[in-house]
Amino acid sequence: MAGGGTAGRLLARVGQGARAAGWRRPLGPEETLRLLEASVVHREGALLALSKPPGLPILGRPGDLSLTALLPALRRRLGLQAELHLVKGPARECSGLALFSGCHRTTEQLQRFFTDARRRGQYPTTYHAVTVGVPAEAEGEIRTGLRWQQQGDTAVVVPVPAPGRRSLARKEVKNTLTRYRVLGTSGGCSLLQLQPRTAFPEQLPVHLTLLLCPALGDHQYSSRVGRVLGVPFLLPPETAPTRTQVLDKELLGRLGLSLQQLSRLPLHIHLQRLELPQGPLCAPPPPTFLRTLQCLGLPSHQEP
């Protein structure tokens, strides 16, 4: 593991002064490059792994700031000769392990390894998530079909509890599965371990709403969980438009946030561990995630 202290100081500087200046501010290309250079957690042979900050897309449109756009400059800074190819990485709003390879054959072998592992019923990826709410059971599985649905001007992912054979055959719906385990709870919030066996865009935040425990910082799907007298219930997607996550005053106070700063709260889903043929790779959560754990009194140690 390399550079964790430097990366931590850089991200911590971004996260400082949350009460005065918001939870975080956008990073420019140069500062992002320095952060990525300091966030390398594994470098051996053809493989390079780093811990991606939340909000940075791996792929982006031309001209946008993205990890892929920064790869040539990052390669030069690290003294790497071969062009890097993405093997595995978290979604834009998530933080965590992004794995790259400088060898096409290695890339293909690892991608087959992940696919075969899921087919064998294994769970090669492990995430940590902070949730608003505590699951009814300490561990279990979330199973549902998922599909894209147009909602106004945007496309969102919606659950399909009992998908028909035709919709599955036409690949309009995909059956999905996530295994979860509660690692700690405090004051109505939880730290969960999430292990998806399937891969579908935005699977994890949508699955967490089905647990009635949306991820902290989920400004896309958390509105699907309503509350009456403190009791959570699930709202139909069509009646729950996208909006900034709503948190009560007590939780805002514990996080040190104002209502005006809430929209900047990052999604607290972190790709913490990848199983590889040669052994596991792990990435520590970003300082903003660790700060939240400390504020909420949730465990901050790394699970094996």
Side-chain angles (χ1 to χ4, degrees), residues 63-299:
D64 286 351
L65 184 65
S66 68
L67 189 47
T68 300
L70 294 172
L71 276 182
L74 183 62
R75 272 176 45 216
R76 290 192 294 271
R77 291 191 178 213
L78 295 175
L80 301 175
Q81 300 300 316
E83 182 180 352
L84 294 172
H85 312 280
L86 177 66
V87 179
K88 192 77 175 174
R92 173 182 185 142
E93 298 304 328
C94 299
S95 61
L97 274 169
L99 180 63
F100 296 89
S101 167
C103 170
H104 280 288
R105 184 177 179 183
T106 300
T107 301
E108 293 170 356
Q109 289 174 340
L110 286 172
Q111 289 174 341
R112 282 198 302 269
F113 169 79
F114 290 128
T115 300
D116 293 343
R118 289 193 176 97
R119 287 174 178 168
R120 293 193 299 267
Q122 298 172 346
Y123 296 80
T125 58
T126 299
Y127 290 77
H128 284 179
V130 178
T131 64
V132 181
V134 178
E137 303 291 336
E139 57 184 298
E141 293 180 343
I142 308 143
R143 295 174 179 265
T144 188
L146 292 178
R147 68 179 175 88
W148 287 99
Q149 176 176 291
Q150 196 67 25
Q151 191 176 81
D153 296 331
T154 61
V156 296
V157 177
V158 299
V160 183
R165 292 183 179 179
R166 290 185 179 179
S167 61
L168 291 170
R170 291 194 296 263
K171 297 184 178 180
E172 297 169 351
V173 180
K174 180 175 180 177
N175 278 322
T176 59
L177 167 64
T178 301
R179 184 168 66 181
Y180 75 89
R181 181 164 67 95
V182 178
L183 301 178
T185 65
S186 177
C189 295
S190 304
L191 175 65
L192 301 187
Q193 180 191 79
L194 303 173
Q195 293 180 303
R197 187 169 156 188
T198 52
F200 193 90
E202 302 173 17
Q203 173 177 322
L204 294 181
V206 173
H207 277 190
L208 287 173
T209 65
L210 298 178
L211 273 184
L212 301 178
C213 299
L216 184 67
D218 178 4
H219 307 302
Q220 180 75 24
Y221 298 104
S222 61
S223 59
R224 296 180 183 180
V225 179
R227 288 183 179 270
V228 173
L229 300 177
V231 179
F233 65 96
L234 197 63
L235 289 163
E238 55 272 15
T239 66
T242 297
R243 67 180 183 190
T244 299
Q245 188 174 34
V246 176
L247 302 179
D248 61 37
K249 290 184 179 180
E250 181 183 354
L251 183 50
L252 283 172
R254 292 167 68 191
L255 293 171
L257 290 174
S258 68
L259 284 174
Q260 291 75 23
Q261 296 164 348
L262 188 52
S263 63
R264 297 187 181 184
L265 182 67
L267 182 67
H268 282 57
I269 298 180
H270 175 75
L271 178 49
Q272 190 262 341
R273 178 181 174 118
L274 282 175
E275 300 293 339
L276 301 181
Q278 59 269 42
L281 278 180
C282 295
T288 50
F289 196 111
L290 292 173
R291 178 184 180 277
T292 293
L293 296 180
Q294 182 180 26
C295 289
L296 298 181
L298 292 169

